[in-house]
Amino acid sequence: MLREITILGGRKKNGEPEAVQEVTVQVGQVYSIVGFTGSGKSQLINDIEQIAQRDSISRRQILLDGEPPLDNALHRYEQNLVAHLSQNMNFILDMKVKEFLIMHAGCRGFREPGKKAEEVIECANTFAGEAIKPEENLTRLSGGQSRSLMIADVAINGDSPVVLIDEVENAGIHRLKAMETLAAQQKIVLVVTHDPLLALLGEKRIIMGNGGMQAVLALTQQEVTVRGRLEKMAGVLQGLQDQLRQGESVSLEFQP
Ligand SMILES: Nc1ncnc2c1ncn2[C@@H]1O[C@H](COP(=O)(O)OP(=O)(O)OP(=O)(O)O)[C@@H](O)[C@H]1O
């Protein structure tokens, strides 16, 4: 069972060495990756996904439990090291939610796939707005519901120790809860985000710029407090959104 991954720094877009030369993320930890558009966030995620060995454009190297992977481990991990969830992923299978989850749990060798499927739906429904029903068709799920189901499935049925998430900005999914669930399942979680609330969720955040890792900052106590305020603001916006969705009007009594 993998315990940690290490990213050894390579070079920036201009060919100079990147400022951060080593970052280690352990199971149960959530790191966020932030930076302007084009700063190299996706490249960093790709390097991890491909277990780069100084063979990508950034020349980074990824270590598994402190060692470069042996050829046979590489082959084993290529299949299931990383679960990569991105904002524009959608289900295209024409199947009922429960049928699909039973099939997936069955493929993974679980003894009671029906029970596992129920567990995944229950978990996904703690993140999703409108509840996902077992008999619903996968293709009929909304973006937020699909994302919730994918995250719950990775957390409960997945055997990938590393979970890379690109933008879970989707409104209507309880993002903090989803990240906490993955971390509690002993996953190594890396979240690429432009959203301040998610950026402050990671216990550390990697700052990208010019194709390189510029700094790794630890979450401060003050930031935890600010995150609490942001959560409150998000709650207010969510309340307003629900009010509008229910066809209600908004009066001047509304206090942001
Ligand atoms: N270290 C590097 N050396 C050379 N090229 C790089 C490096 N890092 C990133 N690039 C290239 O720069 C371009 C932009 O990088 P990338 O797509 O990773 O940015 P991003 O931060 O994910 O942007 P966005 O927020 O728009 O998704 C890509 O073509 C990528 O291959």
Side-chain angles (χ1 to χ4, degrees), residues 11-13 35-44 57-58 60 167 194 210-212:
R11 59 190 195 197
K12 299 187 280 190
K13 282 191 202 174
F36 289 99
T37 289
S39 58
K41 303 183 294 297
S42 303
Q43 182 61 47
L44 180 63
I57 195 161
S58 69
R60 292 189 184 106
E167 311 285 9
H194 291 283
N210 194 16

Side-chain angles (χ1 to χ4, degrees), residues 155-171:
I156 292 171
N157 277 335
D159 62 348
S160 309
V162 183
V163 183
L164 303 176
I165 302 190
D166 257 324
E167 311 285 9
V168 223
E169 264 82 307
N170 217 309

Side-chain angles (χ1 to χ4, degrees), residues 32 34 176 196-207 216-231:
S32 48
V34 296
L176 298 188
L197 182 53
L198 270 186
L200 293 178
L201 174 71
E203 51 196 270
K204 294 218 176 138
R205 57 184 185 276
I206 302 175
I207 321 296
V216 181
L217 303 182
L219 190 71
T220 65
Q221 209 44 51
Q222 293 197 17
E223 287 169 344
V224 174
T225 308
V226 171
R227 188 177 74 196
R229 290 183 194 159
L230 289 178
E231 275 175 62

Side-chain angles (χ1 to χ4, degrees), residues 83-94:
H84 190 165
L85 303 175
S86 85
Q87 184 79 331
N88 44 21
M89 275 182 185
N90 265 312
F91 288 107
I92 48 167
L93 268 182
D94 188 15

Side-chain angles (χ1 to χ4, degrees), residues 13-251:
K13 282 191 202 174
N14 60 8
E16 289 173 6
E18 56 190 330
V20 176
Q21 280 298 315
E22 191 170 331
V23 185
T24 296
V25 193
Q26 293 171 333
V27 293
Q29 290 188 315
V30 179
Y31 273 39
S32 48
I33 302 172
V34 296
F36 289 99
T37 289
S39 58
K41 303 183 294 297
S42 303
Q43 182 61 47
L44 180 63
I45 290 271
N46 291 344
D47 287 340
I48 298 169
E49 191 167 18
Q50 284 154 25
I51 322 177
Q53 297 299 311
R54 309 270 182 216
D55 49 1
S56 71
I57 195 161
S58 69
R59 294 283 183 268
R60 292 189 184 106
Q61 184 174 21
I62 307 301
L63 306 181
L64 307 178
D65 287 336
E67 306 277 351
L70 299 170
D71 278 353
N72 56 354
L74 198 59
H75 181 69
R76 179 159 49 91
Y77 277 129
E78 262 168 9
Q79 305 300 322
N80 63 4
L81 177 75
V82 169
H84 190 165
L85 303 175
S86 85
Q87 184 79 331
N88 44 21
M89 275 182 185
N90 265 312
F91 288 107
I92 48 167
L93 268 182
D94 188 15
M95 262 180 124
K96 294 200 166 102
V97 169
K98 192 165 177 187
E99 269 172 22
F100 165 74
L101 293 172
I102 289 176
M103 188 183 77
H104 190 205
C107 294
R108 299 273 305 103
F110 290 114
R111 262 200 229 130
E112 295 179 274
K115 227 168 150 189
K116 279 276 166 195
E118 280 165 23
E119 222 179 295
V120 172
I121 297 172
E122 197 179 315
C123 175
N125 280 337
T126 63
F127 325 139
E130 192 125 314
I132 300 165
K133 297 183 193 76
E135 298 308 317
E136 216 158 346
N137 200 298
L138 279 174
T139 53
R140 301 290 295 271
L141 297 179
S142 72
Q145 286 177 318
S146 303
R147 203 82 48 245
S148 300
L149 198 63
M150 285 176 196
I151 293 176
D153 190 38
V154 163
I156 292 171
N157 277 335
D159 62 348
S160 309
V162 183
V163 183
L164 303 176
I165 302 190
D166 257 324
E167 311 285 9
V168 223
E169 264 82 307
N170 217 309
I173 133 157
H174 198 320
R175 295 159 294 175
L176 298 188
K177 179 100 186 28
M179 299 304 114
E180 280 164 9
T181 303
L182 287 170
Q185 295 293 324
Q186 295 299 296
K187 304 284 186 192
I188 293 170
V189 186
L190 290 132
V191 190
V192 170
T193 186
H194 291 283
D195 176 332
L197 182 53
L198 270 186
L200 293 178
L201 174 71
E203 51 196 270
K204 294 218 176 138
R205 57 184 185 276
I206 302 175
I207 321 296
M208 300 300 298
N210 194 16
M213 296 183 285
Q214 290 187 319
V216 181
L217 303 182
L219 190 71
T220 65
Q221 209 44 51
Q222 293 197 17
E223 287 169 344
V224 174
T225 308
V226 171
R227 188 177 74 196
R229 290 183 194 159
L230 289 178
E231 275 175 62
K232 261 198 198 139
M233 283 165 69
V236 171
L237 283 178
Q238 179 80 55
L240 188 58
Q241 192 178 39
D242 289 346
Q243 209 177 327
L244 293 170
R245 280 170 172 165
Q246 283 157 13
E248 292 173 21
S249 313
V250 183
S251 72

